[in-house]
Amino acid sequence: MKFERALIAVGLISLSGFVGAADEHAGHGAHWGYEGNVGPDQWTSLKPEFSACAGKNQSPIDVSGTIDAKLKPLRFSYKAGGHEVVNNGHTIQVNIDTGSSVVVDGIQFDLKQFHFHSPSENHISGKSYPLEAHLVHADKDGNLAVVAVVFNEGPANATVAAAWSQMPKAEGKAVLPTKVSAAGLLPKSHDYYRYNGSLTTPPCTEGVRWIVMKKPMTVSKEQLNAFQTNLGFANNRPIQPANARPILK
Ligand SMILES: [Zn+2]
């Protein structure tokens, strides 16, 4: 009996640590933003917990000067598991049921949520895009892997349409009538760039595996306008210095 209780307690502790680590936009309620005296230039000084924002391995970056490393193919296994859409005051995020994952470095990373930034956070060869999706994954130890997909303006994306069908206007959440799969956010070609970076929002924790898909997807002008109007501000952290990091292709 005592043993069972201990197991449950350990389970709860690790679960709460895990969920916190998987939330790329943790710090809900903390007073940070994208403009003025709570903007990205000020994040480090807002709270001692945000000190990593001044680190040397920060995201986003300009993905350029890449090194040919013959990266191994990614193994995506995504299914329809997006059940709710959240406006957390910083982005629009879709939370995902367990059961979707990607294998990186032989390690399984489970998809926890995806969310969006407009304009894009990462640049590719010096180019900014109107939208970027971040597909946030965590392994069993809470290590993060983020798959980034940039979008140009063009034909509408059906997965984005489904995900944003119930976009809350203010902070809050809504249930999605039909579960969405993140598979519809991925380009047909799974070629990618790779670098080591951080959360792009406070607390800017480093040690995040970044996978940036090479090929852009598209969203329509109407979809882009709906997102930008709903959020009401640009939610991209400016690009950070790559410093000594190799960027692989
Ligand atoms: Zn993000």
Side-chain angles (χ1 to χ4, degrees):
M1 190 65 178
K2 263 185 191 160
F3 180 64
E4 274 176 22
R5 276 203 199 128
L7 270 185
I8 291 165
V10 168
L12 285 175
I13 289 162
S14 58
L15 184 68
S16 58
F18 183 71
V19 169
D23 183 1
E24 206 224 341
H25 293 273
H28 178 80
H31 192 51
W32 63 268
Y34 288 97
E35 296 166 315
N37 60 5
V38 294
D41 291 348
Q42 306 300 321
W43 288 352
T44 309
S45 58
L46 292 176
K47 279 177 103 178
E49 292 91 324
F50 296 171
S51 62
C53 299
K56 298 286 186 216
N57 299 296
Q58 290 289 292
S59 295
I61 61 167
D62 177 27
V63 176
S64 61
T66 53
I67 297 165
D68 197 345
K70 301 198 167 42
L71 294 170
K72 293 206 176 79
L74 298 168
R75 298 205 328 259
F76 288 102
S77 173
Y78 284 172
K79 52 185 167 189
H83 59 276
E84 68 175 2
V85 57
V86 180
N87 178 340
N88 64 14
H90 305 297
T91 189
I92 302 297
Q93 174 176 316
V94 172
N95 292 327
I96 310 281
D97 295 333
T98 53
S100 291
S101 61
V102 64
V103 175
V104 184
D105 301 332
I107 302 163
Q108 180 176 320
F109 288 82
D110 295 320
L111 180 62
K112 312 307 280 187
Q113 48 103 338
F114 63 78
H115 62 267
F116 299 88
H117 299 268
S118 180
S120 75
E121 295 208 296
N122 291 292
H123 294 189
I124 299 178
S125 300
K127 185 179 174 352
S128 161
Y129 290 79
L131 184 73
E132 180 171 342
H134 287 163
L135 287 60
V136 181
H137 306 72
D139 73 3
K140 61 176 174 42
D141 299 319
N143 298 303
L144 299 185
V146 180
V147 173
V149 182
V150 293
F151 291 75
N152 275 317
E153 207 178 285
N157 180 290
T159 301
V160 169
W164 292 353
S165 63
Q166 311 290 322
M167 196 155 46
K169 293 232 182 307
E171 280 188 52
K173 57 175 77 174
V175 172
L176 289 169
T178 308
K179 288 190 179 181
V180 301
S181 169
L185 300 174
L186 296 175
K188 276 205 187 75
S189 161
H190 290 171
D191 289 350
Y192 63 100
Y193 303 107
R194 175 151 180 197
Y195 74 95
N196 290 329
S198 72
L199 305 185
T200 66
T201 56
C204 308
T205 314
E206 296 187 339
V208 178
R209 289 167 166 87
W210 276 88
I211 310 277
V212 179
M213 304 310 285
K214 284 187 182 177
K215 291 277 182 285
M217 294 288 280
T218 64
V219 285
S220 68
K221 190 181 181 64
E222 291 73 24
Q223 289 183 311
L224 206 50
N225 284 345
F227 178 83
Q228 291 169 341
T229 304
N230 194 90
L231 207 56
F233 53 88
N235 68 336
N236 66 308
R237 184 188 195 193
I239 54 169
Q240 305 294 305
N243 296 319
R245 286 175 287 177
I247 307 165
L248 309 179
K249 67 176 175 186

